Amino acid sequence: MAAKRKAFITGITGQDGSYLAEILLERGYEVYGMIRRSSSFNTARIDHIFGELELVFGDLADGSAMNQLMRTIRPDEVYNLGAQSHVRVSFDIPEYTVDIGALGTLRLLDAIREEGVRCRFYQASSSEMFGQAREVPQNEETPFHPRSPYAAGKVFAYWITRNYREAYGMYAVNGILFNHESPRRGPTFVTRKITRAVGAILRGEQDELRLGNLDAKRDWGYARDYMEGAWRMLQAEEPDDYVLATGEAHSVREFLEEAFSYAGLDWRDYVKIDPRYFRPAEVDLLVGDYSKAKQKLGWEPTVRFHELVRMMVDHDRERRTTEEHYL
Ligand code: NAP
Ligand code: G4F
């Protein structure tokens, strides 16, 4: 019997890591996930598959741990999803955000190179790199204009991934992913903040929702679809970079309208604008052109805006324990 393929995931406790781990287990991989030591449990998103995973401690800030993990595991595929991924927070802790997002990527790539591991490498690049975008929609050739420390760090990570591909012949790819959401989305990102508020309002537990800029437009897809795309990128014959998106832009206001009206509520009765949630520099409009991924990987999003909003509201209508919150 052929040996199982080994995958190594950073960021396995996050939204994307949990979906990717499920996909890889379904496909017969031995899945190694790197977790950070925490003073309380932070594995709610992977508790249902806990027994099937090999979890190892590590941190993208710790280069020697990266070397040791690559040397001992010797994975076939590496998915680098770990990051301080909140754009607003990156203005508060810029150095940390860039240390993990940018230098952390370099540490991991260099550990693979130094340890002579012949694996395929996926980098979680972001549509935030387009920032003040020069064209609409954005594709793999659109120039970057990052608007936050988070995005500037992701631009470095994108280029160092390409550099290791070009310099050392590594199979290293960038998935340039537009916003993707799910019932497992972190509660401080705008979509989940809205759908959790809808649930709490329906249960009589909340009577106002404080938000920032309602005019920003994003291209919101479903996280599981995007992790399917990430896996396909590593199965292609040649390494390349791909945009994953839905091609549809909607404003935060439209998201509010859709989520509240689906629950029979009027968002205007609850939403207060709070300057705390504005950003020093905003990204006004992101919308992606995924035609390269469609043509070369046969990838297409299966869930569109209306279905996504409803899926998240349906999930958040139910009262849940902390453990159930992300399932
Ligand atoms: P997420 O839910 O915020 O998860 C982030 C993950 O990174 C968590 O597992 C977190 O671990 C881990 N992490 C944080 N700091 C770390 C460190 N110092 N060392 C190692 N791991 C660390 O993010 P996500 O939505 O799943 O996104 C996954 C990746 O895709 C991120 O790199 C993000 O920047 C990128 N991305 C996301 C989107 C999107 O719309 N979701 C779009 C484009 C790109 P803890 O649980 O211990 O905090
Ligand atoms: O939900 P957001 O925080 O996501 P953002 O900034 O687009 O970043 C997410 O997607 C990126 C891909 O493009 C990822 F790389 C990144 O890791 C992350 O997953 O904010 C979306 C929009 C922004 O324009 C923001 O200003 O919503 C606006 N917004 C309005 N009120 C708010 C709020 N955002 C948050 N988080 N909280 C608010 O109260």
Side-chain angles (χ1 to χ4, degrees):
M1 207 172 73
K4 280 185 165 192
R5 275 185 292 172
K6 283 187 203 171
F8 176 80
I9 305 175
T10 70
I12 194 166
T13 54
Q15 170 189 254
D16 290 3
S18 66
Y19 284 115
L20 179 64
E22 285 174 1
I23 290 170
L24 293 169
L25 287 172
E26 281 163 22
R27 293 179 188 165
Y29 284 76
E30 200 173 320
V31 179
Y32 289 80
M34 189 178 83
I35 58 169
R36 301 191 289 167
R37 196 269 158 178
S38 166
S39 65
S40 54
F41 292 119
N42 68 346
T43 53
R45 293 184 179 99
I46 50 171
D47 280 348
H48 60 296
I49 49 173
F50 202 81
E52 299 169 71
L53 299 170
E54 301 287 339
L55 296 178
V56 290
F57 285 109
D59 193 303
L60 284 160
D62 180 353
S64 65
M66 295 304 106
N67 277 73
Q68 188 249 329
L69 290 170
M70 289 304 101
R71 185 165 59 247
T72 52
I73 298 171
R74 305 197 83 78
D76 300 295
E77 295 177 14
V78 170
Y79 296 86
N80 184 33
L81 311 182
Q84 188 303 92
S85 73
H86 201 287
V87 175
R88 174 69 192 80
V89 173
S90 79
F91 288 99
D92 300 329
I93 46 170
E95 183 181 334
Y96 175 74
T97 302
V98 172
D99 185 25
I100 303 311
L103 293 182
T105 304
L106 173 59
R107 289 182 189 109
L108 184 51
L109 280 165
D110 210 53
I112 293 168
R113 184 188 68 82
E114 273 191 21
E115 301 300 340
V117 179
R118 294 185 56 77
C119 63
R120 296 186 168 201
F121 178 87
Y122 172 87
Q123 169 57 19
S125 284
S126 168
S127 53
E128 276 290 303
M129 300 188 302
F130 299 124
Q132 192 138 300
R134 311 260 178 95
E135 58 186 3
V136 179
Q138 296 89 47
N139 62 34
E140 293 79 3
E141 305 305 321
T142 304
F144 299 143
H145 182 152
R147 296 270 284 169
S148 62
Y150 166 81
K154 286 285 186 185
V155 171
F156 173 86
Y158 168 93
W159 278 112
I160 203 67
T161 300
R162 279 192 65 162
N163 179 250
Y164 271 55
R165 179 163 90 213
E166 292 166 10
Y168 304 116
M170 274 176 61
Y171 190 112
V173 311
N174 285 288
I176 307 172
L177 272 46
F178 283 65
N179 298 51
H180 44 279
E181 320 293 314
S182 73
R184 298 185 194 170
R185 184 58 142 152
T188 63
F189 296 96
V190 77
T191 55
R192 191 82 200 282
K193 188 170 167 184
I194 292 170
T195 60
R196 286 186 80 223
V198 167
I201 290 166
L202 289 174
R203 294 192 300 275
E205 296 166 1
Q206 187 172 333
D207 58 10
E208 73 171 27
L209 170 60
R210 292 185 168 266
L211 292 173
N213 177 17
L214 305 187
D215 295 320
K217 290 189 172 166
R218 291 290 183 275
D219 178 333
W220 282 296
Y222 175 42
R224 198 177 204 283
D225 282 347
Y226 288 53
M227 288 304 99
E228 167 67 32
W231 178 78
R232 287 192 192 194
M233 285 179 212
L234 290 201
Q235 313 314 310
E237 220 159 274
E238 296 296 328
D240 205 346
D241 306 320
Y242 298 91
V243 159
L244 300 184
T246 71
E248 276 182 46
H250 296 275
S251 64
V252 174
R253 188 177 282 100
E254 285 172 70
F255 195 103
L256 269 174
E257 179 73 46
E258 183 77 19
F260 275 72
S261 62
Y262 177 54
L265 300 168
D266 185 341
W267 65 269
R268 289 167 199 80
D269 296 336
Y270 302 95
V271 171
K272 302 250 173 341
I273 301 302
D274 187 334
R276 210 176 351 165
Y277 298 110
F278 285 100
R279 294 163 184 199
E282 178 60 283
V283 171
D284 297 322
L285 167 64
L286 291 176
V287 57
D289 169 2
Y290 65 90
S291 44
K292 180 176 171 185
K294 184 176 175 184
Q295 197 205 337
K296 299 219 163 137
L297 305 175
W299 180 88
E300 277 201 83
T302 67
V303 176
R304 299 288 176 161
F305 180 71
H306 299 280
E307 199 187 332
L308 176 68
V309 177
R310 285 158 192 237
M311 174 202 294
M312 292 175 71
V313 170
D314 284 339
H315 180 271
D316 283 331
R317 283 180 112 115
E318 307 296 323
R319 186 193 302 278
R320 292 176 193 275
T321 63
T322 315
E323 291 71 35
E324 290 166 342
H325 176 69
Y326 291 118
L327 287 177

